[in-house]
Amino acid sequence: MRVLICEDGAAAAQRTADILCASVANRPDAVLGLATGGTMEPVYAVLRNRIAAGSLDLSGVTTFNLDEYVGLAVTHPQSYRATMQRLLFDAAGLPPARCHLPDGSAADPVAEARAYEAAIEAAGGIDLQLLGIGHNGHIGFNEPTSSLGSRTRVKTLTGETRRANARFFGPDEEAPQFAITMGIKTVLETRACVLLATGPRKAAVVAAAIEGPLAAACPASALQLHPQATFVLDPAAAAGLKLRDYYETVHPGGGEARL
Ligand code: F6R
């Protein structure tokens, strides 16, 4: 596991964007796994700027988002489909057929989840998966106690996650209670993954994920099993790490390892 501690939140977002861009430079038709959430927004801003400047071309990639709310129309501005359209897909000029999200308005969400897992497999698997982390350790919407062997399925969101997501919804709206999410096993099968965490409110859960026991109680700790997992952090999110000096020695400034 690589732990990259960057100078600040902006540098961490740049570093995450750099890793994604390197993957696309290496394979212009890469299959990218994407995430939503406030932490990711600066990453997509960096990517949009690079696209506008002509230094990044995402027109050949295929994308699979981690999750989508159940019961929210795709036209709802807070559906993850609409969010991704706004944050990246429009700027990247990606045709909808190559930008995959679970359909949260499907008549049969259980069948939709199964079909989503099959679509990832049919695309040859995910080359690089972006991840955020919830305050309770969730990745995607794999809430604590999700099976480490889980695949894409419908999950009930915890009250804590719903309260955190309420900020994206109007005062007269309820944050959705269910989501379709890639499973932990689905994430573990990606060829590489990058988890970005910023800010002091993520410090405790980041420490639990990186240095705590492997446990379904902290789903992000499952990344300890991933052969190519990278955590990109700002100093505030790294504040709870016992081995922080070690990570900073191996990756000064969050850069590549000095050998
Ligand atoms: C969203 C997702 C979630 C978020 C997590 C952190 O697609 O998968 O796991 O990454 O809830 O959200 P923020 O960044 O808003 O704290």
Side-chain angles (χ1 to χ4, degrees):
M1 184 171 2
R2 300 194 307 162
V3 180
L4 311 182
I5 303 171
C6 301
E7 195 185 339
D8 55 23
Q14 292 268 358
R15 185 75 170 98
T16 303
D18 287 346
I19 293 170
L20 184 141
C21 292
S23 173
V24 175
N26 184 44
R27 193 181 157 193
D29 62 346
V31 179
L32 301 176
L34 302 177
T36 50
T39 312
M40 284 300 149
E41 293 190 12
V43 176
Y44 296 131
V46 172
L47 297 179
R48 288 197 305 276
N49 287 340
R50 291 183 187 179
I51 291 166
S55 58
L56 174 66
D57 179 5
L58 289 181
S59 64
V61 306
T62 295
T63 68
F64 286 91
N65 265 76
L66 279 167
D67 40 24
E68 178 61 284
Y69 293 121
V70 169
L72 213 56
V74 287
T75 49
H76 189 291
Q78 291 309 326
S79 74
Y80 285 166
R81 163 71 70 181
T83 302
M84 288 307 302
Q85 207 65 48
R86 222 169 30 240
L87 292 177
L88 187 67
F89 298 160
D90 285 341
L94 281 169
R98 271 196 284 116
C99 304
H100 302 272
L101 285 96
D103 179 357
S105 58
D108 183 348
V110 173
E112 170 64 14
R114 262 193 233 112
Y116 197 70
E117 182 81 26
I120 294 171
E121 201 182 323
I126 291 171
D127 292 308
L128 178 73
Q129 177 69 52
L130 295 187
L131 298 165
I133 184 169
H135 298 114
N136 61 6
H138 73 213
I139 48 174
F141 278 134
N142 293 285
E143 299 285 36
T145 71
S146 287
S147 162
L148 302 186
S150 55
R151 299 209 171 262
T152 307
R153 69 210 183 291
V154 178
K155 279 296 289 180
T156 306
L157 305 184
T158 61
E160 185 182 8
T161 297
R162 292 181 76 197
R163 280 191 291 281
N165 292 344
R167 71 190 195 277
F168 295 114
F169 291 86
D172 51 347
E173 287 180 306
E174 289 228 343
Q177 193 178 358
F178 302 98
I180 296 175
T181 180
M182 283 186 203
I184 295 179
K185 183 85 172 169
T186 319
V187 171
L188 291 179
E189 286 179 356
T190 62
R191 284 186 271 283
C193 66
V194 180
L195 187 150
L196 172 64
T198 53
R201 295 183 62 226
K202 297 285 171 76
V205 78
V206 162
I210 296 174
E211 296 176 342
L214 172 64
C218 179
S221 69
L223 299 179
Q224 295 172 20
L225 293 171
H226 196 300
Q228 292 291 342
T230 300
F231 281 73
V232 181
L233 309 172
D234 69 353
L241 293 169
K242 291 197 182 74
L243 293 175
R244 181 172 172 175
D245 285 353
Y246 171 65
Y247 310 132
E248 292 185 323
T249 303
V250 179
H251 295 282
E256 289 308 311
R258 264 200 313 229
L259 290 176

